[in-house]
Amino acid sequence: MLCGMHEHDGPLTRLRRGHEQSVLELLRKQGPLSRAELSIRSGLSRTTLHDIVAALVGSGAVVASTPQVEARKRGRPVEKLSLNPAAGEAVGIDFARRAVHVAAVNFAHEVVGSASESHAPDLSWPERVEHAERLLDALATGPPDADEGEAGGQGRSSGVHLDALTAIGVGVVGPIADPGSEHAHARGIDGLPDLLRKRFGVPILLDNNTRLAALAEAVWGAAADSSDVLYLRLSHGVGGGLVVGGALHRGRYGLSGEFGHITVDPVGGRTCECGGTGCLETRASLDAVLSRYRESGGPAEDLAGFLEAVAASEPTALAVLEHVGSDVGGVLAAVCHVVGAGVIVVGGELAEAGPALLDPVERALRRHLMPMAQHHVDLRRATLGEAGSALGGIALVLHESPLLTQYPQPVSEEHA
């Protein structure tokens, strides 16, 4: 990434090389920046920065562009500097309950590839890692703008180069505390960081995949304009993440965002896998929704069929989502009262139901919020889809966001 070898290695040359490294590191972490933004963040004088940037641009390590969105109302558009997109990629992997998702972002912070592959829920960790390796290989070797990944996985790629990886951010289901703990051993993830490191030869940063999805939505997605975000994922499990005061919140023992285990029906509710009764997950997870739908006489056997029924405005399907939305909205309102979130983002497969789900959530949310808060909370649908958690893993690698300034050091293979 440096602009080339220097003929002499005196104090001035070492100082200049240090300035180059500082500028490159800022662009790696922060993404595209204007010269004025670089000057503020680097502390370099305008003259020194001009010389450093000119050398880096001349060498091809840094490129300049003028995005349309950055055009001023008057005068010339604002030029942005970024690392050369061809210089390499950062990679994220999401090990969901029943699928593996991968994504890659280039050094200009542009998403250049993503792919997914479904699998049985009881697939072993070595087999899941093999899936991830195959998907990443497909991104690296597949044709540009591919519509399909390997082995039936869906994806898109514009040419991913895996030889410049510095680390891989990885999301897994459930709380992430000490990977060597009894709880981690029972879940089978205690050896996962080391398994991945041996496969890919780089450090592994491990975290909860739903919290990583929250991070991604706050960096690249639906909540990129807010510093207080509540993210809820409605999938095979129900979980979430919190961005409070512009920082991602992990919580003690990695337990932040476990919204699925907030009780909504303590008397007549079903037993949850956590040991509680009437948790939100027993009402709003995919299995719970499909079970309620079939108990009400609905014919669909899977999520795709249920979503088709919703799209056709089938009364039974809409009634089920009305109940689910009521439960979800009540929980979201309670959490908002605690953390003061300004934006709520709802993601996961169930969010594909669109307004049929989000409208009941919105009604319940407004009904339960205090009057003074009702007009200060914005409900949005997630925009990043299945790639969200993998993109959140990339954010851990890049450390590009102030959302991570107060975040504990994520677990790496050194602690496994």
Side-chain angles (χ1 to χ4, degrees):
M1 290 297 297
L2 285 176
C3 63
M5 295 294 293
H6 297 273
E7 294 182 2
H8 305 286
D9 196 27
L12 292 179
T13 299
R14 290 196 295 271
L15 179 62
R16 181 183 179 86
R17 188 178 299 140
H19 291 334
E20 291 173 349
Q21 291 281 17
S22 296
V23 169
L24 292 171
E25 185 71 3
L26 278 169
L27 293 175
R28 186 182 75 83
K29 291 182 177 182
Q30 302 290 328
L33 296 171
S34 69
R35 282 176 169 78
E37 291 168 332
L38 264 178
S39 179
I40 293 172
R41 287 165 171 78
S42 68
L44 299 175
S45 69
R46 292 180 61 183
T47 301
T48 300
L49 182 64
H50 179 273
D51 291 342
I52 295 297
V53 168
L56 292 173
V57 171
S59 72
V62 170
V63 294
S65 61
T66 53
Q68 292 294 324
V69 295
E70 296 293 341
R72 295 174 177 170
K73 293 182 180 180
R74 297 186 301 273
R76 294 183 300 175
V78 177
E79 185 178 70
K80 290 284 189 176
L81 300 166
S82 64
L83 296 186
N84 189 337
E89 280 82 27
V91 168
I93 302 173
D94 172 23
F95 290 109
R97 292 175 187 260
R98 303 181 186 183
V100 176
H101 311 289
V102 301
V105 171
N106 65 24
F107 282 2
H109 287 211
E110 300 164 336
V111 180
V112 296
S114 64
S116 299
E117 183 174 328
S118 299
H119 60 69
D122 59 349
L123 196 69
S124 70
W125 281 111
E127 290 174 303
R128 295 186 191 198
V129 172
E130 288 180 5
H131 283 346
E133 186 176 28
R134 182 164 62 250
L135 289 172
L136 288 173
D137 285 343
L139 288 184
T141 61
D145 301 319
D147 290 325
E148 293 190 1
E150 292 285 322
Q154 300 300 310
R156 57 186 176 87
S157 172
S158 57
V160 175
H161 308 284
L162 301 180
D163 56 352
L165 297 181
T166 58
I168 296 178
V170 178
V172 296
V173 175
I176 297 297
D178 177 8
S181 67
E182 181 179 346
H183 178 63
H185 180 72
R187 292 165 57 202
I189 65 169
D190 50 340
L192 179 61
D194 190 55
L195 179 62
L196 287 164
R197 181 186 58 80
K198 290 178 180 178
R199 282 294 181 97
F200 296 104
V202 295
I204 302 300
L205 306 181
L206 193 69
D207 211 326
N208 171 266
N209 62 350
T210 306
R211 190 159 49 242
L212 291 183
L215 173 61
E217 292 290 345
V219 173
W220 285 290
D225 60 343
S226 179
S227 60
D228 294 287
V229 182
L230 193 169
Y231 173 83
L232 178 72
R233 174 188 270 174
L234 302 175
S235 183
H236 295 286
V238 175
L242 288 170
V243 174
V244 182
L248 184 66
H249 182 61
R250 187 170 186 266
R252 190 73 180 270
Y253 307 118
L255 286 174
S256 173
E258 293 293 334
F259 307 134
H261 301 294
I262 294 176
T263 302
V264 296
D265 187 3
V267 178
R270 298 180 179 180
T271 302
C272 180
E273 64 178 17
C274 74
T277 299
C279 296
L280 181 63
E281 187 164 300
T282 69
R283 308 286 287 264
S285 67
L286 296 184
D287 288 343
V289 171
L290 289 174
S291 177
R292 176 182 283 186
Y293 174 68
R294 289 192 289 267
E295 289 172 358
S296 301
E301 292 296 325
D302 56 20
L303 177 63
F306 177 74
L307 292 177
E308 289 177 2
V310 171
S313 298
E314 181 189 286
T316 301
L318 296 181
V320 168
L321 289 183
E322 187 70 36
H323 287 293
V324 173
S326 179
D327 291 334
V328 169
V331 167
L332 292 177
V335 178
C336 282
H337 288 155
V338 175
V339 300
V343 172
I344 297 174
V345 178
V346 179
E349 294 93 326
L350 194 60
E352 295 176 16
L357 170 69
L358 295 183
D359 287 351
V361 171
E362 179 97 30
R363 288 193 291 271
L365 179 67
R366 303 303 170 194
R367 187 166 62 248
H368 290 286
L369 280 174
M370 294 187 298
M372 65 180 297
Q374 290 179 357
H375 302 294
H376 298 285
V377 179
D378 189 6
L379 180 68
R380 305 173 185 176
R381 181 177 168 182
T383 61
L384 298 177
E386 292 182 337
S389 295
L391 289 170
I394 292 172
L396 282 183
V397 173
L398 296 176
H399 293 284
E400 52 73 42
S401 172
L403 295 167
L404 293 169
T405 56
Q406 301 176 36
Y407 200 68
Q409 179 65 31
V411 175
S412 73
E413 84 286 350
E414 295 177 358
H415 301 99

